[in-house]
PDB file of all heavy atoms in Angstrom:
ATOM      1  N   THR A 301       6.491 -19.096  -0.635  1.00 98.00           N
ATOM      2  CA  THR A 301       5.598 -18.161   0.064  1.00 98.00           C
ATOM      3  C   THR A 301       5.595 -18.450   1.518  1.00 98.00           C
ATOM      4  O   THR A 301       5.512 -17.535   2.371  1.00 98.00           O
ATOM      5  CB  THR A 301       4.194 -18.228  -0.564  1.00 98.00           C
ATOM      6  OG1 THR A 301       3.755 -19.602  -0.592  1.00 98.00           O
ATOM      7  CG2 THR A 301       4.160 -17.692  -1.959  1.00 98.00           C
ATOM      8  N   ASP A 302       5.685 -19.747   1.910  1.00 98.00           N
ATOM      9  CA  ASP A 302       5.760 -20.085   3.346  1.00 98.00           C
ATOM     10  C   ASP A 302       7.041 -19.447   4.011  1.00 98.00           C
ATOM     11  O   ASP A 302       7.033 -19.154   5.179  1.00 98.00           O
ATOM     12  CB  ASP A 302       5.735 -21.568   3.528  1.00 98.00           C
ATOM     13  CG  ASP A 302       4.375 -22.225   3.204  1.00 98.00           C
ATOM     14  OD1 ASP A 302       3.347 -21.457   3.080  1.00 98.00           O
ATOM     15  OD2 ASP A 302       4.316 -23.451   3.070  1.00 98.00           O
ATOM     16  N   ALA A 303       8.036 -19.326   3.199  1.00 98.00           N
ATOM     17  CA  ALA A 303       9.323 -18.753   3.728  1.00 98.00           C
ATOM     18  C   ALA A 303       9.333 -17.254   3.773  1.00 98.00           C
ATOM     19  O   ALA A 303      10.364 -16.685   4.227  1.00 98.00           O
ATOM     20  CB  ALA A 303      10.474 -19.264   2.828  1.00 98.00           C
ATOM     21  N   GLY A 304       8.291 -16.582   3.271  1.00 98.00           N
ATOM     22  CA  GLY A 304       8.190 -15.157   3.436  1.00 98.00           C
ATOM     23  C   GLY A 304       8.211 -14.371   2.128  1.00 98.00           C
ATOM     24  O   GLY A 304       8.193 -13.172   2.178  1.00 98.00           O
ATOM     25  N   ALA A 305       8.228 -15.046   0.970  1.00 98.00           N
ATOM     26  CA  ALA A 305       8.133 -14.334  -0.244  1.00 98.00           C
ATOM     27  C   ALA A 305       6.759 -13.550  -0.378  1.00 98.00           C
ATOM     28  O   ALA A 305       5.713 -14.064   0.093  1.00 98.00           O
ATOM     29  CB  ALA A 305       8.250 -15.280  -1.456  1.00 98.00           C
ATOM     30  N   LEU A 306       6.784 -12.370  -0.873  1.00 98.00           N
ATOM     31  CA  LEU A 306       5.624 -11.519  -0.992  1.00 98.00           C
ATOM     32  C   LEU A 306       4.631 -12.074  -2.098  1.00 98.00           C
ATOM     33  O   LEU A 306       3.398 -11.891  -1.988  1.00 98.00           O
ATOM     34  CB  LEU A 306       5.955 -10.091  -1.344  1.00 98.00           C
ATOM     35  CG  LEU A 306       6.859  -9.374  -0.354  1.00 98.00           C
ATOM     36  CD1 LEU A 306       7.228  -8.013  -0.871  1.00 98.00           C
ATOM     37  CD2 LEU A 306       6.187  -9.251   1.013  1.00 98.00           C
ATOM     38  N   ALA A 307       5.199 -12.714  -3.067  1.00 98.00           N
ATOM     39  CA  ALA A 307       4.372 -13.340  -4.169  1.00 98.00           C
ATOM     40  C   ALA A 307       5.240 -14.327  -4.911  1.00 98.00           C
ATOM     41  O   ALA A 307       6.460 -14.228  -4.866  1.00 98.00           O
ATOM     42  CB  ALA A 307       3.900 -12.274  -5.121  1.00 98.00           C
ATOM     43  N   ALA A 308       4.566 -15.237  -5.579  1.00 98.00           N
ATOM     44  CA  ALA A 308       5.260 -16.281  -6.312  1.00 98.00           C
ATOM     45  C   ALA A 308       4.524 -16.614  -7.623  1.00 98.00           C
ATOM     46  O   ALA A 308       3.289 -16.436  -7.676  1.00 98.00           O
ATOM     47  CB  ALA A 308       5.334 -17.579  -5.486  1.00 98.00           C
ATOM     48  N   LEU A 309       5.294 -16.944  -8.646  1.00 97.00           N
ATOM     49  CA  LEU A 309       4.638 -17.330  -9.878  1.00 97.00           C
ATOM     50  C   LEU A 309       5.657 -18.142 -10.696  1.00 97.00           C
ATOM     51  O   LEU A 309       6.862 -18.088 -10.470  1.00 97.00           O
ATOM     52  CB  LEU A 309       4.124 -16.122 -10.707  1.00 97.00           C
ATOM     53  CG  LEU A 309       5.107 -15.314 -11.534  1.00 97.00           C
ATOM     54  CD1 LEU A 309       4.344 -14.372 -12.478  1.00 97.00           C
ATOM     55  CD2 LEU A 309       6.090 -14.502 -10.719  1.00 97.00           C
ATOM     56  N   VAL A 310       5.121 -18.923 -11.647  1.00 97.00           N
ATOM     57  CA  VAL A 310       5.958 -19.577 -12.644  1.00 97.00           C
ATOM     58  C   VAL A 310       6.581 -18.537 -13.569  1.00 97.00           C
ATOM     59  O   VAL A 310       5.860 -17.667 -14.005  1.00 97.00           O
ATOM     60  CB  VAL A 310       5.196 -20.676 -13.354  1.00 97.00           C
ATOM     61  CG1 VAL A 310       5.945 -21.210 -14.488  1.00 97.00           C
ATOM     62  CG2 VAL A 310       4.671 -21.730 -12.446  1.00 97.00           C
ATOM     63  N   SER A 311       7.858 -18.651 -13.800  1.00 93.00           N
ATOM     64  CA  SER A 311       8.515 -17.698 -14.694  1.00 93.00           C
ATOM     65  C   SER A 311       8.306 -18.088 -16.177  1.00 93.00           C
ATOM     66  O   SER A 311       8.770 -19.142 -16.566  1.00 93.00           O
ATOM     67  CB  SER A 311      10.065 -17.660 -14.430  1.00 93.00           C
ATOM     68  OG  SER A 311      10.703 -16.781 -15.228  1.00 93.00           O
ATOM     69  N   GLY A 312       7.532 -17.263 -16.884  1.00 92.00           N
ATOM     70  CA  GLY A 312       7.275 -17.530 -18.288  1.00 92.00           C
ATOM     71  C   GLY A 312       6.585 -18.872 -18.456  1.00 92.00           C
ATOM     72  O   GLY A 312       5.577 -19.134 -17.820  1.00 92.00           O
TER      73      GLY A 312
END
Side-chain angles (χ1 to χ4, degrees):
T301 52
D302 289 347
L306 301 176
L309 80 169
V310 173
S311 179

